[in-house]
Amino acid sequence: MKLIEELITKNETEINMMSPLTWAYVGDSVYELYIRTYLSNKTNLNPHKMHVLAIKYVKASAQAHILQKLDLTDDEREIARRGRNTENHHLPKNATIEDYMYSTAFEALIGYLFLTKQNERLEEILKQSVEIAEENK
């Protein structure tokens, strides 16, 4: 979206210096929006039922599974590794610590690709993510 892309004013060097938790913060929103839009196009469910279904795509264990199945480049694996290894003092309520770390890595990768405007690759990964999530349902 052009409107949102105009909000991104940092260059790649500045984005690389951000905390991976910042990438994950952005990536969480990007992935959630993608899933909500995908479900609103694919289903005729009411918002509550779509929300319940969306949880199956966005919960930590699903994101951890997706990350492990994606075919990533070396650079993308490094971004995910940085996201996974970032110290986070938040304890997950409904996930194992390992799943939470890998879901943070997944969200960091999504956020990084979004912030660096790698839109074509971001779209590929989001589409693959949905395919992986649906195979795992």
Side-chain angles (χ1 to χ4, degrees), residues 2 4-10 12 15 111-122:
K2 187 172 171 76
I4 292 177
E5 275 192 25
E6 290 175 0
L7 293 173
I8 303 168
T9 59
K10 294 186 184 282
E12 192 166 342
I15 293 166
Y112 182 86
L113 292 173
F114 176 80
L115 289 168
T116 56
K117 300 179 184 178
Q118 296 181 52
N119 298 334
E120 190 173 307
R121 182 60 177 152
L122 175 60

Side-chain angles (χ1 to χ4, degrees), residues 14 36 39 44 46 77 80 84 88 99 108 111 115 118 130:
E14 293 170 311
R36 287 179 179 207
L39 292 176
N44 289 320
N46 67 44
R77 275 193 289 281
R84 185 187 71 234
N88 187 345
D99 279 351
L115 289 168
Q118 296 181 52
V130 167

Side-chain angles (χ1 to χ4, degrees), residues 13-92:
T13 301
E14 293 170 311
I15 293 166
N16 280 322
M17 292 189 305
M18 288 178 169
S19 164
L21 290 178
T22 301
W23 302 337
Y25 175 76
V26 172
D28 176 59
S29 297
V30 171
Y31 186 60
E32 179 85 23
L33 178 60
Y34 185 83
I35 293 301
R36 287 179 179 207
T37 305
Y38 171 77
L39 292 176
S40 69
N41 285 326
K42 182 183 175 202
T43 71
N44 289 320
L45 299 173
N46 67 44
H48 174 73
K49 290 182 180 177
M50 270 194 288
H51 172 72
V52 171
L53 184 55
I55 290 169
K56 295 177 182 177
Y57 293 82
V58 301
K59 65 184 177 181
S61 61
Q63 290 180 352
H65 177 76
I66 290 166
L67 181 66
Q68 293 168 348
K69 296 284 185 175
L70 287 171
D71 185 24
L72 302 177
T73 66
D74 289 342
D75 288 343
E76 291 164 349
R77 275 193 289 281
E78 177 60 19
I79 294 299
R81 184 198 63 76
R82 286 181 61 190
R84 185 187 71 234
N85 291 341
T86 298
E87 188 170 337
N88 187 345
H89 299 289
H90 177 79
L91 295 175

